[in-house]
């Protein structure tokens, strides 16, 4: 029986070089990892016969088989329960911050896997800007609620920096010129302003004398 000819080392090296290398996908930690996979979805949790069904049906109705959207809904509900003022509170500033926090973390995980998704990046930045404004309002109006919200949601709040203008040589020259013009205008209008001030003082003195004369008391 004929044997196959031995492959030359050069061809073997070329084959190994041309073989595509499969990169292992990095495991990205998710904020949904703390959700138990055996937890029944919200739509079926209150069904009376849910305890009597078999394990296969429970697995189909659990979070193990749920979609990302359903898991995010449950996560939002958990965060809202931490900060809401009452069971009927669905629109306070704290609840809005909790909802935006869950959405922002979902966007961050998505952008780690798909960094070129500009549409979701824009949505994330808009949500972050909205949350920053809500937290700034809470910080101004009710600081204790602001602290509790940041603590419960694990938010590290950094105040927005004050507006600072970049100092350039052109800006310095323009500022010096404007100050010089202002000082010259003040010098030119100084006599007129002094005259107006003396006239106001004379009118005020005459009004006081007239009022004293009407009352019959000496000035």
């Amino acid at each position: 029986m004929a044997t196959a000819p031995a492959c030359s080392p050069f061809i073997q090296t070329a084959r190994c070089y041309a073989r595509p290398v499969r990169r292992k996908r990095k495991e990205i930690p998710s904020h949904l990892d703390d959700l138990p996979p055996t937890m029944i979805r919200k739509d079926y949790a209150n069904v009376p016969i849910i305890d009597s069904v078999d394990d296969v049906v429970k697995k189909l109705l659990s979070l193990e088989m749920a979609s990302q959207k359903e898991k995010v809904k449950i996560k939002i509900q958990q965060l809202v329960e931490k900060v809401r003022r009452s069971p009927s509170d669905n629109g306070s500033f704290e609840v809005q911050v909790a909802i935006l926090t869950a959405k922002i973390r979902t966007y961050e995980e998505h952008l780690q896997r798909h960094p070129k998704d500009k549409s979701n990046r824009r949505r994330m930045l808009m949500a972050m800007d909205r949350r920053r404004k809500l937290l700034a309002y809470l910080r101004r109006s009710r600081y204790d609620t602001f602290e509790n919200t940041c603590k419960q949601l694990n938010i590290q709040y950094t105040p927005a920096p004050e507006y600072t203008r970049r100092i350039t040589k052109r800006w310095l020259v323009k500022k010096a010129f404007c100050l010089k013009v202002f000082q010259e205008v003040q010098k030119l209008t100084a006599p007129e302003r002094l005259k107006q001030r003396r006239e106001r003082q004379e009118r005020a003195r005459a009004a006081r004398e007239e009022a004293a004369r009407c009352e019959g008391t000496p000035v």
Side-chain angles (χ1 to χ4, degrees):
M1 185 174 180
T3 58
C7 185
S8 65
F10 177 77
I11 296 177
Q12 186 68 25
T13 305
R15 287 177 179 175
C16 295
Y17 179 78
R19 186 178 302 158
V21 179
R22 293 184 180 180
R23 296 183 179 179
K24 292 183 179 180
R25 176 176 289 185
K26 296 174 63 176
E27 292 293 336
I28 300 174
S30 174
H31 71 115
L32 305 175
D33 292 339
D34 57 344
L35 295 176
T38 58
M39 181 179 179
I40 304 298
R41 301 181 207 175
K42 183 181 178 182
D43 299 337
Y44 308 102
N46 298 325
V47 178
I49 61 172
I50 193 64
D51 297 329
S52 59
V53 297
D54 56 358
D55 296 338
V56 178
V57 177
K58 285 186 178 180
K59 185 176 181 180
L60 291 174
L61 301 179
S62 65
L63 294 183
E64 187 177 356
M65 307 297 292
S67 62
Q68 178 82 0
K69 190 175 182 180
E70 293 174 335
K71 292 180 180 179
V72 171
K73 285 184 179 179
I74 295 177
K75 191 64 179 180
I76 289 176
Q77 190 65 25
Q78 289 183 354
L79 295 181
V80 168
E81 289 294 336
K82 293 181 179 180
V83 297
R84 69 182 353 169
R85 304 176 188 175
S86 63
S88 59
D89 179 18
N90 294 318
S92 62
F93 289 102
E94 304 92 280
V95 171
Q96 295 181 47
V97 169
I99 295 173
L100 290 172
T101 300
K103 291 182 178 180
I104 289 169
R105 290 172 181 171
T106 305
Y107 285 135
E108 287 177 346
E109 295 171 9
H110 175 78
L111 290 172
Q112 286 181 359
R113 297 185 179 92
H114 310 282
K116 294 185 179 181
D117 191 350
K118 297 182 179 179
S119 178
N120 281 316
R121 185 178 297 277
R122 178 174 175 272
R123 293 191 184 99
M124 183 188 72
L125 293 176
M126 291 172 64
M128 292 175 67
D129 185 62
R130 175 64 178 164
R131 186 182 69 171
R132 189 183 303 112
K133 291 179 180 178
L134 293 174
L135 288 174
Y137 174 78
L138 284 176
R139 189 169 180 261
R140 291 194 308 268
S141 58
R142 289 178 294 145
Y143 192 80
D144 54 343
T145 306
F146 163 78
E147 278 191 333
N148 180 61
T149 303
C150 292
K151 182 179 178 181
Q152 294 294 334
L153 302 179
N154 195 18
I155 299 175
Q156 295 182 356
Y157 177 78
T158 303
E162 297 181 358
Y163 174 76
T164 55
R165 183 167 183 171
R166 183 183 176 186
I167 300 177
T168 59
K169 186 176 181 180
R170 180 180 179 182
W171 181 79
L172 291 174
V173 172
K174 184 177 179 181
K175 183 178 180 180
F177 177 74
C178 292
L179 287 175
K180 188 175 181 180
V181 171
F182 175 76
Q183 293 171 0
E184 293 296 329
V185 171
Q186 291 291 102
K187 289 180 182 179
L188 293 176
T189 58
E192 184 66 23
R193 287 187 285 108
L194 181 61
K195 181 180 178 182
Q196 293 177 359
R197 183 169 58 183
R198 289 177 177 175
E199 290 178 355
R200 288 195 301 269
Q201 292 175 353
E202 290 294 334
R203 287 196 297 267
R205 186 181 299 108
R208 288 197 302 270
E209 292 176 356
E210 185 67 23
R213 191 178 299 110
C214 293
E215 294 177 359
T217 56
V219 179

